[in-house]
Amino acid sequence: MRDQSYETKMKNQLKTYTYNILAAITVWLPVFAHAASIGSAQAYPTKPIRMIVAVPPGGPADTLARLVAPRLTEALGQTVVIDNRPGANGNIAYE
């Protein structure tokens, strides 16, 4: 039996790799399509959005959040509430 050349081996590996990729796409594409259809059926967001600001009221970050909130309310069609949580170097707001 003759030994295959390097090029032939590489072509066979590429062909096998391509078939494996196509098989994976064929299997997973319907799964992802179904998951997307389930996710799009739900109205988001379903309750008011709470924007947490890690600084006390009156600072520049709070002012910016209060300027952005009405635009977010218009864009998302849901109320955006500003919630200031200062202290502990931002850890309170993080939690």
Side-chain angles (χ1 to χ4, degrees), residues 43-66:
Y44 177 81
T46 57
K47 57 186 179 179
I49 299 169
R50 190 171 76 170
M51 181 187 292
I52 298 175
V53 181
V55 294
D62 179 59
T63 304
L64 182 63
R66 293 184 189 277

Side-chain angles (χ1 to χ4, degrees), residues 9-89:
K9 286 181 183 179
M10 297 305 336
K11 285 180 185 178
N12 288 339
Q13 283 182 344
L14 181 61
K15 192 182 294 185
T16 303
Y17 180 74
T18 304
Y19 288 143
N20 288 341
I21 294 294
L22 290 175
I25 289 171
T26 304
V27 169
W28 287 105
L29 187 63
V31 173
F32 290 133
H34 180 67
S37 68
I38 290 171
S40 65
Q42 301 169 357
Y44 177 81
T46 57
K47 57 186 179 179
I49 299 169
R50 190 171 76 170
M51 181 187 292
I52 298 175
V53 181
V55 294
D62 179 59
T63 304
L64 182 63
R66 293 184 189 277
L67 288 172
V68 169
R71 292 191 178 103
L72 281 175
T73 298
E74 291 173 13
L76 298 175
Q78 196 64 264
T79 305
V80 176
V81 179
I82 305 296
D83 187 8
N84 293 89
R85 300 278 176 146
N89 208 17

